[in-house]
Amino acid sequence: MKNCIVAQSGGPTVAINASLAGVISGVMDSNQYDVVYGSLNGITGILDHRFLNLTELFQGREEMRKRLIMTPAMYLGSCRYKLPNMEEDFGVYERIFQFFAEKEIEAFFYIGGNDSMDTVVKLAAYAKKVQSPVRVIGIPKTIDNDLCMTDHTPGFGSAAKYVASTFLEIAHDTYIYKVKSVTIVEVMGRDAGWLTAASVLARNEYNTAPHLIYLPERAFDKEEFLADVQELLSRQHNVIVAVSEGIRDKDGRYISASDSAADTFGHSQLSGTGKALESFLNEHLDVKIRSIELNVMQRCASHIASKTDLEEAEQLGRRAVECAAEGQTDIMLSLRRVSSNPYTVVCESVPVCRVANEMKIVPDTFINQRGNGVTEGMVEYLKPLIQGEMPIAYENGLPVYLSVEHLVDRN
Amino acid sequence: MKNCIVAQSGGPTVAINASLAGVISGVMDSNQYDVVYGSLNGITGILDHRFLNLTELFQGREEMRKRLIMTPAMYLGSCRYKLPNMEEDFGVYERIFQFFAEKEIEAFFYIGGNDSMDTVVKLAAYAKKVQSPVRVIGIPKTIDNDLCMTDHTPGFGSAAKYVASTFLEIAHDTYIYKVKSVTIVEVMGRDAGWLTAASVLARNEYNTAPHLIYLPERAFDKEEFLADVQELLSRQHNVIVAVSEGIRDKDGRYISASDSAADTFGHSQLSGTGKALESFLNEHLDVKIRSIELNVMQRCASHIASKTDLEEAEQLGRRAVECAAEGQTDIMLSLRRVSSNPYTVVCESVPVCRVANEMKIVPDTFINQRGNGVTEGMVEYLKPLIQGEMPIAYENGLPVYLSVEHLVDRN
């Protein structure tokens, strides 16, 4: 027997199950491995011996595999477990590789973000140290698009499509009243503004919103923000603002509740960035102010996934299996853009140590000078990533996803 | 010449443009009226002489009319203008009917909710008083589903479909971690709990969420809520709660920020019902608590509209034109359910005075005894309303809606 195992980790995205489906079909089609196991709740499933036999589950069930591609969040569950350094706890590594030996596992695929790539680095280092034949390979995902060494990350395109579509729908919702208003929409991305920037794609021949876009890459100046809004209100009725949850002032302090009066009384948990700005504008403007948080919907709205995104995610999963079979290890699969027009990317593998614990923020050239908008270069970069729609199956009026009954834990 | 005019009013829904499209095609197909005008921003467009010639715009443009059906919010814009009583301001009525006379208008269609039906009642009364031949007809809409004399309101089914789908996606997002958590999702509906109740449709063979549903029809008891959550947490990891923005305690006080500690310091605007409950649970439980506000997305997410809803909305628009041509006035179009299985409804007209300023709340028989869930009867009632999907056109990765450039007001 020669088996492999796959796990998912970090925050959910719409595309992470597509990569899982890619690994499953990669294994089945290549005949390089007998069984592909799925560790439940990331690496912790290996430590607790909680896993599924994915070959058994998916063999001959192509419809089920296709449904997996469309299912939001993680079929195998996630974890936020950080593997200790080898020097701190050698035992945990021994337990993991003991499990690999027992199950005759020769490849481990970890689908995740930054932290998950740290796990890949550590496991690969251990494998090297003990001369284990187990290949350790990372497959990227994150809606934040903040991984280095890849043009973009699976999961980002779908989140970007949700964000852009929702801004367009919010614009329609906003334009109906002939009263002055400011609508602040808070988008995820604590350190990198990629997803907030994607709101720009909502603009079209009749919709100029979002009118202001603030990313965490630039220090946020409340007075400049107020001036920007006032200037726009002097010319138009409705101002729609895209703001990253992670914006900070020039001293690096988050512009969240901590910056609003409420915090003085210790209730900062009541309020996010959008709410804080709503409160700030309410103090200075006599127009209708509303804030909207896109919240987890931006990372789980599979019914409006980007086809490009899901296809790439699946492709990376398939390619990971090939890489392992070829003997590669200590790598992360990555996407290199050959051209934006026509959009062409190639799958590559990159040293995972150059990804783990690093972060790719939005470059200066993609942000306008005043720091309240993005450039044409950003639009060019983003556009291909949201293209295409998946055929969504509906039953009884709801999108049909794959059952995650095994995750619905009863104590 | 014999013309008619249509306007939209109140809060946006996904279906209100479908009713507009129904009026337009009703006029064109029946040849009962030469021109159908569209008053901009509700009745205020008539007072300010701001209107569109919809016949000119849509004649021979079936693709454009179909796109209108799919476009969220209001193509003609909205207003929150309450018509004064005749005794208070006779002049405003004279101006409106003067406009009707000038434009040879013999029928006025008002698509809206409760307040709009008040306008219909008043204009019909004036028409009767001055023996004007102008027919005044209401076409219902509201995501709240709180209009009397109709089985349900256009706009509700699509909002319900969004709410149910989003709860299912949030459930997937929630189940991935093996840590105890409570997720509170706040749904619109200040006085009626229909839309919050629709979250129940997210349940399927693997998803038991939402686990608790609180409607404004029942007094909300925080201690009972805490007990309900604790009881569930003793048996399962994740608890997902659907809560109406309008829940109140037994003394009628809203459970919003006003009920949380923050309010003591005068910052109630920072927080909604979900945030207030998040804050309350955080004081009593040592698990992860998150609150999510579905916000305006639940009333503008046309990309996941209910086909049943949009078709009914359009049908009511068409039927309204027939009613006017038949000489009916002082009525609202309504839907009467003949059967739930198979789902059959008929269009009727009802006296609008029995709708205006009245409200249909959720009956006791649709709420469970403890007031933390809904009954099978409610599920039966809701299910047909979210059925079916519209073919959505996408361009450049985004849903294509009809341009509302005429609403994007520049000062």
Side-chain angles (χ1 to χ4, degrees):
Chain A
M1 293 283 278
K2 187 178 162 188
N3 306 323
C4 64
I5 192 164
V6 56
Q8 300 172 308
S9 172
T13 82
V14 155
I16 190 164
N17 282 332
S19 288
L20 176 61
V23 170
I24 294 171
S25 55
V27 169
M28 287 175 181
D29 296 352
S30 70
N31 291 316
Q32 292 283 349
Y33 299 94
D34 296 297
V35 174
V36 52
Y37 293 103
S39 169
L40 290 172
N41 296 106
I43 192 89
T44 67
I46 293 174
L47 291 165
D48 306 340
H49 288 218
R50 293 169 46 254
F51 56 90
L52 304 175
N53 183 326
L54 297 173
T55 302
E56 223 170 75
L57 275 168
F58 285 90
Q59 193 81 267
R61 299 203 179 103
E62 181 56 13
E63 273 314 304
M64 182 170 156
R65 201 191 65 83
K66 278 192 184 154
R67 191 165 290 182
L68 175 63
I69 295 173
M70 286 304 302
T71 300
M74 282 122 141
Y75 183 72
L76 297 174
S78 183
C79 70
R80 291 281 187 195
Y81 176 77
K82 199 172 161 79
L83 205 56
N85 288 325
M86 239 187 285
E87 306 78 54
E88 287 166 31
D89 188 351
F90 205 74
V92 70
Y93 290 85
E94 287 176 324
R95 277 165 61 203
I96 291 167
F97 280 75
Q98 178 61 32
F99 177 87
F100 289 163
E102 272 166 29
K103 295 283 166 195
E104 300 177 84
I105 283 163
E106 301 200 2
F108 172 54
F109 305 103
Y110 213 22
I111 316 173
N114 237 310
D115 295 339
S116 314
M117 295 310 141
D118 177 71
T119 300
V120 171
V121 167
K122 285 170 173 165
L123 290 178
Y126 178 85
K128 193 176 173 191
K129 190 183 177 84
V130 301
Q131 293 185 312
S132 155
V134 176
R135 312 296 169 197
V136 189
I137 291 179
I139 302 167
K141 73 85 210 161
T142 166
I143 64 162
D144 294 336
N145 198 38
D146 60 354
L147 293 194
C148 296
M149 303 292 291
T150 185
D151 177 72
H152 57 280
T153 55
F156 172 66
S158 293
K161 188 186 187 88
Y162 173 87
V163 166
S165 301
T166 301
F167 265 83
L168 178 59
E169 290 173 340
I170 290 173
H172 276 266
D173 192 273
T174 301
Y175 290 142
I176 63 163
Y177 291 114
K178 265 186 80 67
V179 289
K180 290 205 178 276
S181 74
V182 182
T183 305
I184 302 155
V185 186
E186 180 183 328
V187 184
M188 279 181 170
R190 196 141 271 271
D191 298 297
W194 297 105
L195 195 53
T196 306
S199 62
V200 73
L201 299 178
R203 291 188 193 148
N204 59 28
E205 69 268 22
Y206 63 88
N207 172 44
T208 51
H211 306 99
L212 298 166
I213 303 174
Y214 298 99
L215 311 186
E217 281 80 357
R218 288 287 180 87
F220 185 81
D221 185 311
K222 286 207 298 185
E223 298 310 321
E224 271 183 33
F225 168 59
L226 180 61
D228 289 348
V229 169
Q230 282 174 320
E231 198 275 325
L232 281 164
L233 283 174
S234 75
R235 290 187 284 126
Q236 64 194 54
H237 271 108
N238 309 115
V239 177
I240 299 178
V241 183
V243 62
S244 158
E245 60 174 343
I247 53 166
R248 273 152 288 189
D249 67 16
K250 64 176 170 30
D251 301 318
R253 284 177 308 199
Y254 284 108
I255 312 291
S256 54
S258 59
D259 203 26
S260 83
D263 182 60
T264 324
F265 309 105
H267 293 282
S268 60
Q269 83 281 3
L270 279 179
S271 165
T273 305
K275 283 283 172 206
L277 293 182
E278 177 187 336
S279 174
F280 169 70
L281 287 187
N282 260 324
E283 285 165 28
H284 294 86
L285 297 174
D286 191 24
V287 303
K288 190 181 161 195
I289 321 270
R290 181 197 284 275
S291 70
I292 298 167
E293 203 182 332
L294 297 188
N295 217 309
V296 301
M297 287 81 88
Q298 62 202 294
R299 71 184 191 194
C300 67
S302 283
H303 70 269
I304 192 166
S306 155
K307 190 168 187 241
T308 300
D309 183 31
L310 296 199
E311 285 179 352
E312 288 175 352
E314 190 185 359
Q315 207 187 339
L316 289 183
R318 279 178 181 275
R319 183 77 193 109
V321 177
E322 290 172 12
C323 287
E326 287 163 10
Q328 293 192 55
T329 188
D330 204 10
I331 56 156
M332 182 187 84
L333 275 292
S334 112
L335 293 160
R336 185 166 59 80
R337 187 183 303 217
V338 179
S339 146
S340 279
N341 198 1
Y343 176 64
T344 324
V345 287
V346 290
C347 275
E348 293 186 332
S349 54
V350 296
V352 67
C353 64
R354 294 188 58 190
V355 183
N357 307 311
E358 299 287 329
M359 192 185 299
K360 186 181 75 181
I361 61 170
V362 175
D364 249 11
T365 51
F366 278 3
I367 309 175
N368 72 2
Q369 221 187 335
R370 189 161 168 94
N372 64 7
V374 299
T375 63
E376 260 311 302
M378 175 64 104
V379 175
E380 281 248 316
Y381 167 79
L382 293 168
K383 228 174 192 169
L385 310 182
I386 68 163
Q387 301 300 313
E389 294 74 43
M390 300 294 284
I392 303 151
Y394 280 85
E395 232 174 70
N396 283 319
L398 295 183
V400 181
Y401 298 130
L402 192 57
S403 165
V404 289
E405 199 169 12
H406 53 281
L407 295 180
V408 183
D409 214 327
R410 313 275 138 171
N411 290 1
Chain B
M1 292 282 277
K2 185 177 163 191
N3 306 323
C4 64
I5 192 163
V6 55
Q8 300 171 309
S9 172
T13 82
V14 155
I16 190 164
N17 282 332
S19 288
L20 175 61
V23 169
I24 294 171
S25 54
V27 169
M28 287 175 181
D29 296 352
S30 69
N31 291 314
Q32 293 282 351
Y33 300 95
D34 296 298
V35 174
V36 52
Y37 293 103
S39 169
L40 290 172
N41 296 106
I43 191 89
T44 67
I46 293 174
L47 291 166
D48 306 340
H49 287 219
R50 293 169 46 254
F51 56 89
L52 304 175
N53 182 325
L54 296 173
T55 301
E56 219 170 78
L57 276 169
F58 285 89
Q59 191 80 268
R61 298 203 179 102
E62 181 56 13
E63 272 314 303
M64 184 171 154
R65 202 191 63 86
K66 279 191 183 153
R67 189 164 291 179
L68 174 63
I69 294 173
M70 288 301 303
T71 299
M74 283 121 140
Y75 183 73
L76 298 174
S78 183
C79 71
R80 292 280 187 196
Y81 175 77
K82 200 173 161 76
L83 205 56
N85 288 324
M86 240 187 284
E87 306 78 56
E88 287 166 33
D89 188 351
F90 205 75
V92 70
Y93 289 85
E94 287 177 324
R95 278 166 61 205
I96 291 168
F97 280 76
Q98 178 61 34
F99 176 88
F100 289 163
E102 272 167 29
K103 294 283 166 194
E104 299 176 81
I105 283 164
E106 300 200 1
F108 172 54
F109 306 102
Y110 213 22
I111 316 174
N114 237 311
D115 294 338
S116 313
M117 294 312 140
D118 177 70
T119 299
V120 172
V121 168
K122 286 170 172 165
L123 290 179
Y126 178 85
K128 193 176 173 191
K129 190 183 176 83
V130 301
Q131 293 184 313
S132 156
V134 176
R135 313 296 169 195
V136 189
I137 291 180
I139 301 167
K141 73 84 212 164
T142 166
I143 63 162
D144 294 336
N145 197 37
D146 60 355
L147 293 195
C148 295
M149 303 290 291
T150 185
D151 177 72
H152 56 278
T153 55
F156 172 67
S158 293
K161 188 186 186 88
Y162 174 87
V163 166
S165 301
T166 301
F167 265 82
L168 178 60
E169 290 173 341
I170 289 173
H172 276 267
D173 191 274
T174 302
Y175 291 141
I176 64 164
Y177 291 114
K178 264 185 81 66
V179 289
K180 291 205 178 277
S181 74
V182 182
T183 305
I184 301 155
V185 185
E186 180 184 327
V187 184
M188 279 180 171
R190 196 142 273 271
D191 298 297
W194 298 105
L195 195 54
T196 306
S199 62
V200 73
L201 298 178
R203 292 187 192 148
N204 60 27
E205 69 268 23
Y206 63 88
N207 172 45
T208 51
H211 305 99
L212 298 166
I213 303 174
Y214 297 100
L215 311 186
E217 282 80 0
R218 288 285 180 87
F220 185 80
D221 184 313
K222 286 206 297 185
E223 297 311 319
E224 271 184 33
F225 168 59
L226 180 60
D228 288 348
V229 170
Q230 281 174 320
E231 199 275 325
L232 281 163
L233 282 174
S234 74
R235 292 187 284 125
Q236 65 193 54
H237 272 108
N238 309 114
V239 177
I240 299 177
V241 183
V243 61
S244 157
E245 62 175 343
I247 53 167
R248 272 153 288 191
D249 66 17
K250 64 177 168 36
D251 301 318
R253 283 176 311 198
Y254 284 108
I255 313 291
S256 55
S258 57
D259 204 25
S260 83
D263 180 61
T264 324
F265 309 105
H267 293 284
S268 59
Q269 83 282 2
L270 277 179
S271 165
T273 305
K275 282 284 173 205
L277 293 183
E278 177 187 337
S279 173
F280 169 69
L281 287 186
N282 260 324
E283 286 166 27
H284 294 86
L285 297 174
D286 191 25
V287 304
K288 192 182 160 195
I289 321 270
R290 182 197 284 277
S291 69
I292 299 168
E293 202 183 331
L294 298 187
N295 217 309
V296 301
M297 287 82 88
Q298 62 202 296
R299 70 183 193 196
C300 67
S302 283
H303 70 270
I304 192 167
S306 154
K307 190 168 186 240
T308 300
D309 183 31
L310 296 199
E311 285 178 352
E312 289 175 350
E314 191 186 357
Q315 208 186 338
L316 290 183
R318 278 178 182 275
R319 182 76 192 110
V321 177
E322 289 171 13
C323 288
E326 289 163 9
Q328 295 193 52
T329 189
D330 203 9
I331 55 156
M332 182 188 83
L333 273 293
S334 112
L335 293 162
R336 184 166 60 79
R337 187 183 304 216
V338 178
S339 146
S340 278
N341 198 3
Y343 176 64
T344 325
V345 287
V346 289
C347 277
E348 293 186 334
S349 55
V350 295
V352 68
C353 63
R354 295 189 54 192
V355 184
N357 306 313
E358 299 288 328
M359 192 185 301
K360 186 181 73 181
I361 61 170
V362 175
D364 248 12
T365 50
F366 278 4
I367 310 176
N368 73 2
Q369 220 187 337
R370 190 163 168 90
N372 64 7
V374 298
T375 63
E376 261 311 303
M378 174 65 104
V379 175
E380 280 248 319
Y381 167 79
L382 292 168
K383 229 174 191 170
L385 311 181
I386 68 163
Q387 301 301 313
E389 293 74 43
M390 300 294 285
I392 303 151
Y394 279 85
E395 229 174 74
N396 283 319
L398 294 183
V400 181
Y401 299 130
L402 191 57
S403 166
V404 289
E405 200 170 10
H406 53 281
L407 297 180
V408 183
D409 214 328
R410 312 276 140 172
N411 292 3

